[in-house]
Amino acid sequence: MKIIAIAAGCVLALAGLHAQAQTPAPRFKPLIESEMTEAQKKVASQVAGGPRGRLNPDGPTALFLRSPELASRTQGVGEYLRYNSSLPLRLNEFAIIITARQWNAQIEWFIHQPLALKAGLAREVADDLARGVRPAAMKDDEAIIYQFLKELHETKNVSDATFKAMADNFGERGVIDLIGLTGYYTMLAMVLNVAQQPLPGGAPPPLAILK
């Protein structure tokens, strides 16, 4: 029995080392306020003073601070798209996690999936999306958002019928806000993926990697 226990322990230890080896190292050193430039501190203050309420050290804005001018301009765009979009909050958050799923963006999903559920998205819809399948229990307005973004990401355009459904239900402003939202969160996903940013608190990745 002891031999079995020791062998099992060795297997678990090796599995743990393998998992650790598979976790990519972050490529950017965490920013410390005392080491920030005045330009970086100014942007961090802008972010903390807005609706976000703080600068998330694990989020993309902290990474953007390496280029303070870009960070300043994009954080304003992100503030509008996240908090003032013409789309209802449930659909806005749904669109964000659709984008996160498309890019295997672990932190983006980790942050926004709970927000989508809180805003009223059904858990089974989020769970299907996480598995990489078309959600079976979508409401009609959610299906319009999903179809528009799937076509846009996969074909680089949308069909006339898909455009009409989006415009008829959300207006031309809604069409542009949705495109802007997925474009913005695609940019954030790229930054997070390239940075190999770890999940907060060492949490395991919530998404399987889809090709």
Side-chain angles (χ1 to χ4, degrees):
M1 292 296 290
K2 286 185 178 179
I3 293 173
I4 294 173
I6 291 170
C10 289
V11 170
L12 289 172
L14 287 171
L17 288 172
H18 178 72
Q20 187 176 10
Q22 295 301 308
T23 302
R27 289 172 166 161
F28 290 90
K29 185 179 106 172
L31 280 178
I32 300 171
E33 186 175 356
S34 61
E35 298 175 353
M36 288 184 188
T37 66
E38 288 305 312
Q40 289 173 328
K41 289 178 182 177
K42 181 179 178 181
V43 179
S45 179
Q46 288 174 351
V47 173
R52 296 180 184 89
R54 69 186 185 100
L55 176 65
N56 181 357
D58 300 307
T61 304
L63 294 167
F64 272 106
L65 283 180
R66 273 67 183 188
S67 179
E69 183 69 21
L70 179 59
S72 178
R73 293 172 184 270
T74 56
Q75 73 89 17
V77 173
E79 183 177 305
Y80 167 75
L81 290 169
R82 182 171 175 185
Y83 299 102
N84 298 297
S85 170
S86 62
L87 298 174
L89 181 59
R90 169 177 51 87
L91 300 180
N92 218 46
E93 290 294 338
F94 184 40
I96 292 171
I97 63 172
I98 291 171
T99 307
R101 174 66 282 183
Q102 182 71 29
W103 281 88
N104 298 316
Q106 305 289 355
I107 289 182
E108 208 163 79
W109 180 277
F110 183 87
I111 292 172
H112 287 278
Q113 185 260 14
L115 296 176
L117 298 183
K118 184 178 179 181
L121 187 72
R123 181 171 291 277
E124 55 266 37
V125 171
D127 289 347
D128 279 351
L129 183 61
R131 287 192 290 270
V133 300
R134 182 183 179 88
M138 288 185 291
K139 298 176 181 176
D140 290 346
D141 55 0
E142 293 164 358
I144 292 169
I145 297 294
Y146 179 86
Q147 186 63 31
F148 191 99
L149 292 183
K150 285 295 287 182
E151 288 185 24
L152 183 57
H153 280 283
E154 293 180 0
T155 73
K156 311 301 183 285
N157 204 338
V158 298
S159 67
D160 288 343
T162 296
F163 177 87
K164 185 176 187 304
M166 185 69 199
D168 286 352
N169 282 271
F170 303 103
E172 292 183 350
R173 180 183 173 186
V175 174
I176 297 301
D177 279 355
L178 180 60
I179 295 169
L181 182 77
T182 199
Y184 175 76
Y185 278 91
T186 291
M187 177 177 66
L188 300 192
M190 290 182 192
V191 170
L192 289 164
N193 287 354
V194 169
Q196 298 178 170
Q197 194 75 345
L199 286 157
L207 298 173
I209 301 300
L210 300 180
K211 300 298 184 183

